[in-house]
């Protein structure tokens, strides 16, 4: 069984630039999560989906961040105008019927 | 609101020694509790989870955790650590009624020879 895949693995931007992160969850998993993990901190939930529906995006900075999962499979997280404070690792996880999250390797973002 | 506190940011132990990583949670209801581990250059992996019943739960690789409602704690233990246990460990809480997970800040474990 293939795991959760994410791309790109690394991104380096100047402030004000846009970037998109892509996640392919485990096949059949209906729930998908995006987390932001600053250096030496725990993951912080940004948004999660069940199928194509957003269940909770209360921690997503809506002025610059957006996330979609149009067919209930792959998902894209986009930052419109990056800031230095967005420097972090962005993690995608998926969950099937059990109460276990399966995480991808993450995308490390550096905003200069 | 719920929260998770891991009071020790870094822990160093000698190989073969016993280990306890501390976790305190804040939640007025019945929590579902988890420990995840993040090995270098790998994704987070589930070690164990607790729902109810026996307060001591067993996980993978010889890890266990003990739930205490009176202390609002869920400490992780291992009888004898190996150098390969060096990693970052996260305590995680989920409240009843939804599938939103709250992570602690993590404890970085270093096992030395």
């Amino acid at each position: 069984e293939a795991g959760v895949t994410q791309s790109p693995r690394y991104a380096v931007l100047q402030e004000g630039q846009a970037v998109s992160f892509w996640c392919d969850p485990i096949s059949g998993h209906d729930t998908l999560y995006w987390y932001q993990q600053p250096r030496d901190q725990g993951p912080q939930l940004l948004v999660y989906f069940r199928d194509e529906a957003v269940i909770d995006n209360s921690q997503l900075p809506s002025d610059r961040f957006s996330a979609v999962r149009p067919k209930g499979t792959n998902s894209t997280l986009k930052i419109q105008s990056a800031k230095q404070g967005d420097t972090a690792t962005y993690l995608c996880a998926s969950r099937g019927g059990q109460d276990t999250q399966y995480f991808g390797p993450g995308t490390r973002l550096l905003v200069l | 609101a719920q929260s998770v506190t891991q009071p020790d940011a870094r822990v160093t132990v000698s190989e073969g020694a016993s280990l306890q990583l501390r976790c305190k949670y804040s939640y007025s209801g019945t929590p579902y509790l988890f420990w995840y581990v993040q090995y270098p250059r790998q994704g987070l992996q589930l070690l164990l989870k607790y729902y109810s019943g026996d307060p001591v739960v067993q996980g993978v690789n010889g890890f266990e955790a003990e739930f205490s409602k009176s202390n609002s704690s869920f400490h992780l233990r291992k009888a004898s650590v190996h150098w390969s246990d060096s990693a970052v460990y996260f305590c995680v809480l989920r409240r009843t009624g939804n599938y939103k997970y709250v992570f602690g800040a993590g404890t970085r474990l270093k096992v030395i020879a």
Side-chain angles (χ1 to χ4, degrees):
Chain A
E1 178 182 79
V4 177
T5 56
Q6 292 185 245
S7 64
R9 293 297 307 275
Y10 304 92
V12 181
L13 308 174
Q14 298 290 333
E15 271 199 325
Q17 288 186 307
V19 64
S20 292
F21 310 131
W22 181 81
C23 175
D24 187 3
I26 292 173
S27 177
H29 281 192
D30 61 353
T31 308
L32 184 147
Y33 301 81
W34 283 104
Y35 292 89
Q36 182 189 62
Q37 186 180 18
R39 186 178 178 83
D40 293 332
Q41 296 185 34
Q44 298 157 16
L45 182 69
L46 291 172
V47 60
Y48 82 98
F49 299 85
R50 182 170 297 117
D51 298 319
E52 67 278 7
V54 173
I55 304 301
D56 190 317
N57 63 357
S58 58
Q59 301 304 309
L60 191 71
S62 58
D63 57 332
R64 296 184 301 109
F65 286 64
S66 62
V68 294
R69 194 186 184 200
K71 297 182 179 179
T73 52
N74 301 338
S75 178
T76 302
L77 176 70
K78 183 174 182 178
I79 306 176
Q80 287 280 20
S81 179
K83 298 182 178 181
Q84 288 186 352
D86 298 332
T87 293
T89 297
Y90 291 82
L91 300 173
C92 178
S94 68
R95 186 181 63 80
Q98 295 185 352
D99 205 352
T100 301
Q101 294 180 90
Y102 294 86
F103 284 83
T107 297
R108 295 180 67 177
L109 174 66
L110 174 63
V111 184
L112 301 173
Chain B
Q2 59 270 28
S3 65
V4 176
T5 301
Q6 295 180 246
D8 305 308
R10 294 176 182 270
V11 170
T12 300
V13 297
S14 298
E15 194 167 21
S18 63
L19 170 70
Q20 176 171 280
L21 301 182
R22 296 184 292 163
C23 172
K24 300 274 286 184
Y25 68 88
S26 174
Y27 177 51
S28 57
T30 300
Y32 299 139
L33 295 161
F34 310 78
W35 278 96
Y36 278 79
V37 60
Q38 190 171 37
Y39 296 107
R41 294 172 296 282
Q42 294 187 32
L44 284 130
Q45 302 168 31
L46 179 69
L47 274 180
L48 49 81
K49 53 188 171 185
Y50 173 79
Y51 287 162
S52 63
D54 188 338
V56 179
V57 292
Q58 304 297 321
V60 298
N61 297 334
F63 285 94
E64 67 176 28
E66 184 167 7
F67 170 71
S68 171
K69 185 173 183 178
S70 60
N71 293 324
S72 298
S73 66
F74 189 57
H75 301 330
L76 182 70
R77 303 191 298 235
K78 188 171 184 179
S80 176
V81 296
H82 186 263
W83 65 267
S84 59
D85 294 324
S86 295
V88 183
Y89 292 79
F90 293 97
C91 183
V92 182
L93 177 150
R94 178 172 77 78
R95 56 178 289 180
T96 52
N98 69 41
Y99 282 89
K100 182 176 176 179
Y101 300 88
V102 177
F103 282 72
T107 297
R108 183 175 297 273
L109 173 67
K110 182 177 181 180
V111 180
I112 59 175

